[in-house]
Amino acid sequence: MGGALAMAASKVFSADQLAVCDTDPAKTALFVERKLATAVELSTLVAESDFLFLGVKPQALERVIESIRPMLEAKKEAVTLVSMAAGVEIFKLERWLEGDYPIIRIMPNTPVSVGQGMILYNGNEKVTESQYAAFLEGLSHAGRLDRLPEHLIDAAGSLSGCGPAFVYLFAEALADGGVTCGLPRERAMLYAAQTLLGAAEMLLQSGKHPGELKDAVCSPGGTTIAGVHALEKGGLRGAAMDAVIEAYNRTKQLTK
């Protein structure tokens, strides 16, 4: 996820303005080779950053913060910390940091790397409007950003953060159906992906309820309603709801 955000940020900043750091050099090599960012040591990253994105798993975040806390304390200029760790609330970050730092908590999804992501965010009271503005500008090519109350971020992230995997699974299933009916695999995947893209854009642009848009495709006694019937018999809606709920429950388990 950190790499996906860095890819989006590289469309705003030059390589000398954007720095990346990882324990695995292979993960930063792509950015260096394509001249999208500069690879630096962790101490340099902390010392020279105005915004520091912490792209680590929830279970590792406290340990990482402990390692950078002395570096932050030695830093003369203020830094805004941005955490994308699922389920880790801002009050925990403040406690681990042991200092007064502006903190923004985000939950992005991987389509940010192609400019079609969804980023949920909120921050503590130390984040100024100018810092929010800089944050939004830096991720302006990532997709949509939506500020919402922090207590809703885990629920929303279970939908939009995990959702791409659910969509890919559905796209693969649609393509498999097409292949079963005789389509070449490559074309079946293209048709499934474009169909999902177009349907999503219609949903966003029209502002209509998805049920209304579905009904517009389903002519009486036609082929589409027969397919909808098959999906209903297979429990598509219930399975999709369960997927989001299970992801949400797992988020809560990971941060206990």
Side-chain angles (χ1 to χ4, degrees), residues 94 99-103 123-128 131:
E94 291 173 329
D100 290 334
Y101 298 99
I103 300 171
N124 63 6
E125 67 280 359
K126 298 177 182 66
V127 183
T128 65
Q131 287 166 330

Side-chain angles (χ1 to χ4, degrees), residues 48-247:
E48 299 183 2
S49 295
D50 295 321
F51 284 80
L52 182 62
F53 283 71
L54 304 171
V56 299
K57 297 292 186 182
Q59 305 93 313
L61 186 54
E62 183 176 8
R63 184 174 68 253
V64 169
I65 287 178
E66 286 177 355
S67 69
I68 67 171
R69 193 163 56 219
M71 305 176 200
L72 290 168
E73 292 170 350
K75 186 177 172 65
K76 294 181 180 179
E77 297 181 359
V79 60
T80 302
L81 292 114
V82 183
S83 169
M84 62 192 81
V88 181
E89 296 167 289
I90 291 174
F91 82 89
K92 288 185 180 179
L93 298 170
E94 291 173 329
R95 188 175 70 223
W96 295 341
L97 285 162
E98 298 180 0
D100 290 334
Y101 298 99
I103 300 171
I104 299 175
R105 180 185 170 193
I106 66 173
M107 179 48 61
N109 62 13
T110 52
V112 300
S113 63
V114 294
Q116 292 294 334
M118 184 73 242
I119 302 177
L120 318 165
Y121 74 96
N122 210 329
N124 63 6
E125 67 280 359
K126 298 177 182 66
V127 183
T128 65
E129 289 305 313
S130 62
Q131 287 166 330
Y132 274 127
F135 163 76
L136 293 171
E137 180 184 2
L139 295 179
S140 58
H141 286 266
R144 293 174 181 254
L145 291 96
D146 189 40
R147 184 176 178 180
L148 78 170
E150 192 191 6
H151 73 276
L152 294 176
I153 286 181
D154 287 340
S158 300
L159 194 166
S160 62
C162 304
F166 309 152
V167 173
Y168 299 144
L169 194 64
F170 183 55
E172 184 182 29
L174 288 176
D176 284 346
V179 171
T180 302
C181 294
L183 284 174
R185 168 65 61 181
E186 183 177 328
R187 291 198 174 186
M189 288 302 301
L190 170 63
Y191 302 158
Q194 183 61 41
T195 298
L196 290 172
L197 178 65
E201 192 62 34
M202 279 193 69
L203 189 61
L204 289 171
Q205 289 194 24
S206 71
K208 294 180 179 179
H209 189 280
E212 183 181 354
L213 293 173
K214 179 263 296 178
D215 288 347
V217 188
C218 295
S219 56
T223 57
T224 305
I225 194 63
V228 168
H229 186 206
L231 291 174
E232 293 288 10
K233 286 195 297 184
L236 174 69
R237 281 201 260 195
M241 291 172 66
D242 286 345
V244 175
I245 294 166
E246 287 299 316

